[in-house]
Amino acid sequence: MDAGKAIFETVDRLRQRRTGPLILELDLTEGVTEGPPTDPLAAVLSMRKTRLADVIGGLRRARQDSRVKGLVVKIGGPPLGLAMVQELREAVLHFRASGKLTVAFAETFGEFAGGTVPYYLASAFERVYLQPSGDVGLTGVAVEQRFLKGALGKLGVGYEVGQRHEYKTAANTFTQDHMTEPHRESMGRIVESITETMIDGIADGRRLDPEKVRELIDRGPFTAGEAQEAGLVDGLAYRDEVYDELKRSAGAEANLLYVSRYARAAAVRKLPHPGADGIALVHGIGMIKSGRSGRSPLGGGGAMGSDTISAALRAARRDEHVKAVVFRVDSPGGSYVASDTVWREVVLTRKVKPVIVSMGDLAASGGYFVSMAADVIVAQPGTLTGSIGVYGGKPVFADLLQRMGISTEMVAEGANAGMFSPSRAFSPEQWERVNAWLDRIYDDFVGKVASSRDLSRERTHELARGRVWTGADARANGLVDELGGLEDALALARKRAGLSDSAPVRMYPRLNPLERLRGPDSSEDKSAALARMRLDAWGPLARLSAELGLPAAGPLILPEWYTIR
């Protein structure tokens, strides 16, 4: 009898989950991943993380689902990039516009720390709740850089670098002891542009005057009580109190369900016909390098391998059921040669079907290079892009080695055979070769931007010179076409391809288990787009190795401190 009752209750619970009202839930404390796993290690590491595409797609579907009564999001944990926050914010605002309840809850928006970006996300929700012991670190936007020239000099380390041009400041960490005027100018405008965007968003979400928001930023941070009094939060409550109130609003029978679970279940129920026409989605994430995508087992971010991305674009280009391609780019750049390889595949793909680029947090330097040939470029206002320029050089350890009692001798054939050795400086003749190389890359970069974006070389040079732009300023200057996120890019791709709003989106490359196991027959095979684990990578030191000019990196790179969190 007890067994029968247990079975009945289980069946009833399952029925309720299938047919009863739902409150969608999103926990940001585990972070959000930008794209699909690139290799087995990435798959394991991202197992518990929510994918951005699932959140965006799930909330889009839920707007029309009468079962879904509301959304609750816990904000906190690892900081999210500003463009990803804007992507989430946009999805929440669309969901909220459908008339459904949206609730944001945080234990704190910064515990004795800044919390402007997470609070900016929360301001998109109809109700914002804060734990009574929490704070609202609404303190504004600051970008700080440390300069190592003095410390390196004391160690006997020099750094020889050439750059094109004055705004290409990636190497300034090692060559300067302060911000140059162009450096300060560009960083000042980035901070100003981001602040303007966040003030407008917070003012609109909280129904406050923009000047009032600016005044509050200057007064922050706020204790919980002060934040409620200022109208920044709607109530002070613990998690159980917030969820109890939410369930009362949605009905006693409402079930909680993670957005990602909802999105995947809905996708399974509405699997498109294998032969249905649709959109290919290709993700290009991380530093750009030659070879295949992947990540190091030592840690650090993933890499966008030119072989992997090129194979994915070729596969999408040749698939008769793919009517348009969305190329999602989230990259600070890297190798010039690898960037040019991907650029070529974008050009070839665009000749036969529309290509829309959707930019993430970063699509700068090499990240802009691989994007610029698309039919349309879509970026968030807070995306960091541009950085059309190049730098190159090397560290020189001669004095350090001498102080340590280490002597170096070289036997070489060829006047410039040892020019890239860090144990000696460039000769005047070698500097000529370095500068010729920099000029060639810069001229090629500027020329391709001018052609792709229908700008004169003179105007392109004005916008280039290595300068980083926010997405908002890039659009105003013609480097970006539209402001928006991945959902906007997919909608635009469907429209360009003449497809319905419900046309399927497929990740590329599309490989069955057998294709993954047997490997590619040739570089033309779509399984050539498989990623790998990079045993030869610098791991957590990949970014530093890039900025030091070490071989694993490339000359088109944006430094980590540009990321706004």
Side-chain angles (χ1 to χ4, degrees):
M1 188 76 174
D2 290 341
K5 182 180 179 183
I7 292 171
F8 177 79
E9 289 176 348
T10 301
V11 170
D12 188 57
R13 279 199 305 272
L14 291 173
R15 181 190 61 79
Q16 275 291 102
R17 284 192 173 277
R18 269 199 324 272
T19 61
L22 292 174
I23 300 169
L24 296 185
E25 185 178 18
L26 176 60
D27 186 351
L28 294 178
T29 60
E30 294 291 333
V32 178
T33 57
E34 172 60 56
T38 56
D39 55 74
L41 177 63
V44 172
L45 293 175
S46 63
M47 224 184 254
R48 289 180 58 84
K49 286 191 176 181
T50 302
R51 280 178 45 209
L52 178 64
D54 287 339
V55 176
I56 304 302
L59 291 183
R60 179 173 181 264
R61 216 180 268 273
R63 298 199 303 251
Q64 310 300 324
D65 189 343
S66 60
R67 292 177 61 215
V68 177
K69 304 303 180 182
L71 168 71
V72 59
V73 177
K74 183 181 180 184
I75 298 176
L80 303 177
L82 179 58
M84 183 178 283
V85 163
Q86 290 176 329
E87 195 103 20
L88 293 169
R89 206 173 181 281
E90 189 176 329
V92 170
L93 288 171
H94 285 311
F95 181 85
R96 179 178 172 181
S98 69
K100 300 176 192 285
L101 179 63
T102 56
V103 175
F105 167 71
E107 292 167 353
T108 185
F109 294 103
E111 186 171 11
F112 203 71
T116 302
V117 174
Y119 179 75
Y120 168 61
L121 171 58
S123 67
F125 292 75
E126 181 180 344
R127 299 181 193 170
V128 180
Y129 291 98
L130 176 66
Q131 190 165 296
S133 54
D135 302 289
V136 175
L138 185 64
T139 56
V141 179
V143 176
E144 184 177 47
Q145 184 181 5
R146 290 175 176 81
F147 297 91
L148 305 180
K149 180 182 177 181
L152 293 173
K154 291 179 180 179
L155 293 172
V157 178
Y159 195 82
E160 295 186 335
V161 64
Q163 61 196 54
R164 300 293 182 274
H165 281 279
E166 68 271 29
Y167 293 104
K168 192 70 177 178
T169 57
N172 283 13
T173 294
F174 308 101
T175 62
Q176 303 290 331
D177 57 11
H178 65 282
M179 284 190 183
T180 62
E181 283 306 310
H183 193 166
R184 183 173 294 279
E185 177 194 347
S186 65
M187 293 308 303
R189 177 53 200 160
I190 287 171
V191 169
E192 184 179 40
S193 176
I194 290 169
T195 302
E196 290 168 357
T197 298
M198 290 203 289
I199 284 176
D200 288 344
I202 292 170
D204 186 59
R206 299 303 300 170
R207 296 182 178 86
L208 296 170
D209 184 85
E211 286 304 314
K212 176 65 174 177
V213 176
R214 189 174 289 276
E215 176 193 324
L216 289 171
I217 286 174
D218 290 336
R219 283 172 46 199
F222 298 89
T223 64
E226 292 169 340
Q228 185 177 22
E229 186 178 345
L232 295 173
V233 300
D234 296 292
L236 307 182
Y238 290 94
R239 180 194 179 282
D240 60 296
E241 295 172 316
V242 172
Y243 277 63
D244 285 347
E245 182 177 329
L246 187 59
K247 288 174 183 177
R248 283 195 297 272
S249 299
E253 295 184 350
N255 290 299
L256 282 169
L257 184 65
Y258 281 123
V259 176
S260 55
R261 292 284 181 91
Y262 171 82
R264 290 167 193 166
V268 168
R269 285 197 302 271
K270 296 187 177 181
L271 279 175
H273 187 277
D277 292 341
I279 306 297
L281 177 58
V282 177
H283 279 86
I285 299 173
M287 286 176 54
I288 303 170
K289 63 183 284 288
S290 296
R292 290 162 64 184
S293 300
R295 68 170 56 235
S296 168
L298 303 175
M304 184 198 310
S306 57
D307 287 353
T308 300
I309 302 302
S310 296
L313 290 171
R314 281 195 296 271
R317 183 165 74 239
R318 292 168 180 169
D319 189 332
E320 63 180 7
H321 297 297
V322 170
K323 300 304 179 183
V325 177
V326 172
F327 184 20
R328 176 72 170 185
V329 178
D330 192 2
S331 171
S335 164
Y336 160 64
V337 173
S339 299
D340 194 41
T341 299
V342 176
W343 170 85
R344 176 64 178 174
E345 292 297 335
V346 173
V347 170
L348 293 174
T349 304
R350 183 181 173 183
K351 288 181 179 179
V352 295
K353 54 191 67 174
V355 178
I356 312 298
V357 160
S358 170
M359 292 180 166
D361 287 324
L362 292 170
S365 204
Y368 189 79
F369 200 113
V370 302
S371 304
M372 62 187 173
D375 290 280
V376 182
I377 298 175
V378 181
Q380 290 289 357
T383 297
L384 295 182
T385 187
S387 192
I388 302 163
V390 58
Y391 78 95
K394 66 178 182 179
V396 179
F397 300 119
D399 288 348
L400 174 62
L401 295 174
Q402 185 178 16
R403 293 180 188 183
M404 295 175 66
I406 299 173
S407 59
T408 302
E409 292 189 15
M410 179 181 292
V411 178
E413 287 287 343
N416 296 325
M419 69 178 289
F420 297 112
S421 169
S423 63
R424 62 203 66 212
F426 288 126
S427 69
E429 293 77 18
Q430 290 166 352
W431 259 117
E432 286 184 14
R433 300 309 305 151
V434 170
N435 281 296
W437 178 76
L438 293 170
D439 288 337
R440 175 179 65 88
I441 294 175
Y442 184 75
D443 288 345
D444 183 53
F445 201 165
V446 168
K448 285 174 176 171
V449 173
S451 175
S452 300
R453 305 303 302 163
D454 196 23
L455 298 167
S456 69
R457 284 189 71 98
E458 293 74 18
R459 176 56 179 160
T460 304
H461 174 63
E462 289 176 14
L463 297 171
R465 296 182 289 166
R467 182 160 184 169
V468 180
W469 302 95
T470 62
D473 286 349
R475 182 178 182 272
N477 286 305
L479 297 177
V480 162
D481 297 294
E482 304 287 345
L483 294 180
L486 181 58
E487 184 177 343
D488 300 296
L490 292 170
L492 189 55
R494 289 185 177 102
K495 184 177 180 181
R496 289 272 179 134
L499 298 173
S500 71
D501 292 344
S502 60
V505 177
R506 301 185 179 96
M507 302 285 184
Y508 266 68
R510 296 176 65 208
L511 300 171
N512 61 46
L514 181 60
E515 289 172 321
R516 289 181 177 274
L517 286 173
R518 69 170 173 80
D521 292 329
S522 72
S523 62
E524 294 289 311
D525 194 327
K526 64 181 181 180
S527 60
L530 278 173
R532 66 177 175 86
M533 203 176 294
R534 297 186 344 262
L535 297 175
D536 57 344
W538 286 88
L541 301 178
R543 185 84 58 173
L544 180 61
S545 74
E547 294 179 5
L548 285 170
L550 297 176
L556 306 181
I557 186 73
L558 193 72
E560 166 68 18
W561 47 264
Y562 268 97
T563 303
I564 307 297
R565 298 191 187 277

